[in-house]
């Protein structure tokens, strides 16, 4: 062999690194795990779709059910991608600096990055779907307060007292509505602390140096070889594990804090009781949540002295308990409504015009809309109150506990044909229609957003800043459209929502 041919062989060997069969095997294992888990979660998505089908009272399988299955499967498949990619990234992080292993080359990392991008896209679809449900939930505040007679001054002629009926104050409803807006975006973790903590470990403690790639010997210049590049697999593995680990620790701390110190959602239930207002939430057509806030004292429009006296009576057990059923304290329920009740609810709600008050003086059309809304509000309030009081035998309900299997699988085995079913809900799961109940989805979505930005720019600080902006944008969207939905569904005046 002559000198020129020998030089060509050496050049091709240097430019094309040897094939790492162990790395190819690991890639095959990752692909196999993806395929197996993606097939298994089909069953989970089918169960979610079946539960949703019952909750919206659909009899036959149609295009809407197929679309919901695809939405559920998108979220479950995103979890598969996240599980496999995070496990793979952590594997490389733990082994790359302690054992003699070969990191994936840049062209081999493209498949890994593709999995991350797929996970982000699918998780974004799931998050936007859950956000849409939250911002379109049917909600109504049932005011149990009734007009009260009050004595006036004695009449001069006969010396008799004339009693007048005071109107019910709307301020309690406004107060509860503002409290509901306040807990819309409450989360189990503190998003700002989450970003700062992750950046502190990555940049402050210098963990990012563990994501450097060892230079591959090649024919490149000495200057290029002297500047080691970052491994995308290591950056993702380190950032994602830190994000999820810190988020998990925050969630655990929040759980203990709520048990021992302060629980915002139990406080909201207490506020409803003190305000004499119940809350009905319907994220699906025939399924939702009920918070029983009927005051055990019969009224809440009172002064401070009487309010404190009532609270002391409750503390000393000198009055009834707050529960829906006699001698119980259960106030939160999951509800499965029959179709007759839902149909009547929809008929009353259709009379809501969306106009809150006259826009200008002398506008008879706006005034008529305003009066129509008031009548519709009073009709809905009376109807739902009478349902809770068992006044309609054809739309009655009964209370029961959910079976353990129903709780684990998040579905209802019984269909409410004759009567609606109120399931005792000790976990206050009405938070499922809020950010708080979707913390896992939000945590993973934020993590993927952070990692995708970092993979694009290889800058953890920039990724943290953009993630913070993303979180603020979605919080503003949730509060803004949540208020608009609340104004339309409950007929409260938007001017009094803070």
């Amino acid at each position: 062999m002559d000198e020129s041919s020998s030089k060509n062989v050496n050049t091709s060997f240097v430019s094309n690194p040897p094939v790492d069969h162990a790395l190819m095997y690991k890639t095959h294992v990752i692909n196999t795990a993806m395929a197996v888990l993606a097939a298994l979660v089909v069953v989970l998505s089918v169960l979610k779709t079946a539960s949703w089908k019952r909750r919206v009272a659909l009899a036959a399988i149609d295009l809407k059910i197929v679309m919901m299955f695809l939405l559920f499967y998108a979220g479950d498949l995103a979890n598969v991608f996240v599980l496999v990619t995070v496990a793979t990234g952590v594997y490389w992080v733990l082994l790359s600096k302690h054992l003699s292993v070969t990191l994936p080359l840049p062209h081999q990392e493209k498949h890994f990055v593709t999995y991350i991008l797929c996970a982000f896209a699918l998780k974004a679809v799931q998050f936007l779907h859950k956000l849409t449900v939250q911002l379109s939930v049917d909600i109504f505040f049932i005011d149990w307060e009734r007009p009260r007679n009050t004595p006036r001054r004695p009449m001069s002629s006969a010396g008799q007292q004339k009693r007048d009926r005071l109107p019910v104050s709307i301020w309690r409803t406004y107060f509860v509505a503002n409290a509901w807006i306040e807990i819309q975006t409450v989360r189990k973790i503190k998003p700002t602390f989450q970003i700062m903590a992750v950046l502190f470990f990555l940049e402050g403690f210098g963990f990012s140096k563990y994501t450097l790639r060892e230079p591959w010997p090649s024919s490149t210049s000495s200057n290029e070889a002297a500047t080691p590049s970052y491994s995308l697999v290591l950056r993702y593995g380190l950032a994602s594990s830190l994000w999820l680990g810190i988020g998990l620790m925050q969630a655990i701390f929040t759980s203990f804090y709520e048990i021992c110190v302060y629980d915002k959602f139990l406080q909201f239930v207490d506020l409803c009781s003190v305000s004499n207002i119940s809350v009905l939430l319907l994220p699906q057509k025939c399924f939702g949540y009920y918070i029983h806030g009927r005051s055990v004292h019969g009224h809440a429009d009172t002064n401070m002295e009487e309010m404190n006296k009532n609270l002391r009576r409750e503390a000393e057990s000198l009055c009834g308990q707050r529960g829906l059923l006699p001698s119980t304290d259960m106030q939160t329920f999951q509800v499965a409504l029959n179709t007759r009740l839902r149909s009547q609810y929809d008929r009353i709600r259709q009379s809501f015009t969306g106009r809150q008050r006259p826009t200008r003086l002398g506008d008879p059309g706006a005034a008529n809309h305003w009066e129509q809304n008031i009548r519709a509000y009073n009709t809905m309030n009376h109807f739902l109150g009478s349902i809770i009081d068992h006044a309609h035998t054809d739309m009655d309900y009964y209370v029961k506990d959910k079976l353990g299997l129903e709780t684990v699988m998040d579905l209802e085995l019984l269909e409410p044909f004759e009567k609606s079913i109120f399931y005792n809900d000790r976990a206050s799961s009405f938070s499922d229609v809020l950010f708080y109940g979707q913390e896992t989805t939000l945590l993973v979505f934020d993590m993927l957003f952070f990692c995708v930005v970092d993979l694009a720019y290889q800058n953890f600080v920039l990724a943290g800043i953009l993630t913070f902006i993303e979180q603020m944008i979605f919080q503003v969207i949730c509060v803004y459209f949540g208020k608009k939905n609340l104004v339309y569904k409950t007929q409260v005046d938007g001017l009094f929502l803070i």
Side-chain angles (χ1 to χ4, degrees), residues 174 353-374 491 493-496:
Y174 288 155
T353 64
R355 298 281 293 276
Q356 290 303 303
R357 74 190 105 75
T359 56
R360 62 181 184 273
L361 295 177
D363 186 354
N368 290 335
H369 284 300
W370 175 233
E371 293 176 359
Q372 180 180 344
N373 283 347
I374 293 176
Q491 294 300 296
D493 198 320
L495 286 177
F496 300 99

Side-chain angles (χ1 to χ4, degrees), residues 53-310:
K53 177 177 175 291
R54 283 198 172 195
R55 292 176 176 182
V56 297
L58 288 178
I61 298 177
D62 55 8
L63 181 60
K64 184 182 294 185
I65 293 180
V66 175
M67 293 300 297
M68 286 305 303
F69 168 77
L70 295 178
L71 285 173
F72 289 131
Y73 187 62
D76 294 332
L77 188 59
N79 294 334
V80 169
F81 280 113
V82 169
L83 176 63
V84 175
T85 55
V86 171
T88 303
V90 172
Y91 166 83
W92 287 112
V93 169
L94 294 177
L95 297 185
S96 62
K97 301 303 177 183
H98 301 284
L99 298 177
S100 178
V101 296
T102 303
L103 289 173
L105 297 175
H107 73 276
Q108 295 171 325
E109 289 179 330
K110 292 181 180 179
H111 301 288
F112 187 79
V113 173
T114 301
Y115 287 146
I116 299 173
L117 294 178
C118 290
F120 174 69
L122 293 171
K123 185 58 68 172
V125 171
Q126 182 190 31
F127 168 62
L128 292 176
H129 170 241
K130 290 178 180 281
L131 182 63
T132 302
V133 172
Q134 177 176 343
L135 299 181
S136 60
V137 61
D138 288 332
I139 179 173
F140 193 83
F141 300 120
I142 307 172
D143 192 350
W144 296 102
E145 199 76 10
R146 296 296 178 262
R148 301 169 64 190
N149 294 328
T150 180
R152 299 184 65 183
R153 294 181 179 179
M155 298 182 63
S156 58
S157 59
Q160 297 178 350
Q161 285 187 332
K162 181 180 180 181
R163 305 180 69 86
D164 195 9
R165 292 175 67 85
L166 289 177
V168 174
S169 173
I170 194 63
W171 289 105
R172 293 169 298 98
T173 302
Y174 288 155
F175 195 54
V176 174
N178 277 292
W180 176 257
I181 292 295
E182 182 181 345
I183 63 175
Q184 285 275 312
T185 56
V186 171
R187 294 181 57 176
K188 293 182 181 179
I189 69 169
K190 301 297 183 183
T192 303
F193 174 81
Q194 175 79 12
I195 296 174
M196 297 300 295
V198 171
L199 292 180
F200 179 75
F201 282 102
L202 290 175
E203 299 295 346
F205 274 179
F207 283 11
S208 59
K209 66 183 179 182
Y210 296 111
T211 65
L212 290 172
R213 179 194 301 279
E214 295 296 334
W216 182 270
S218 63
S219 61
T220 57
S221 64
S222 58
N223 292 334
E224 293 177 354
T227 306
S229 61
Y230 287 102
S231 169
L232 299 183
V233 175
L234 295 183
R235 290 183 74 89
Y236 176 79
L238 184 61
S240 62
S241 58
L242 277 174
W243 191 282
L244 296 178
I246 294 173
L248 178 61
M249 288 188 291
Q250 280 202 76
I252 294 174
F253 173 80
T254 300
S255 298
F256 281 106
Y257 181 83
E258 290 174 346
I259 294 173
C260 302
V261 182
Y262 181 77
D263 188 337
K264 283 190 175 182
F265 296 94
L266 290 181
Q267 290 295 321
F268 179 77
V269 176
D270 289 340
L271 174 64
C272 291
S273 296
V274 173
S275 303
N276 202 16
I277 288 176
S278 296
V279 183
L280 179 66
L281 299 160
L282 296 174
Q284 278 86 39
K285 180 180 178 181
C286 293
F287 177 83
Y289 308 93
Y290 173 67
I291 303 172
H292 187 65
R294 195 171 194 171
S295 175
V296 296
H297 311 289
H299 57 84
D301 278 340
T302 183
N303 55 35
M304 183 181 296
E305 181 182 358
E306 188 173 357
M307 178 69 71
N308 290 331
K309 185 184 300 183
N310 291 338

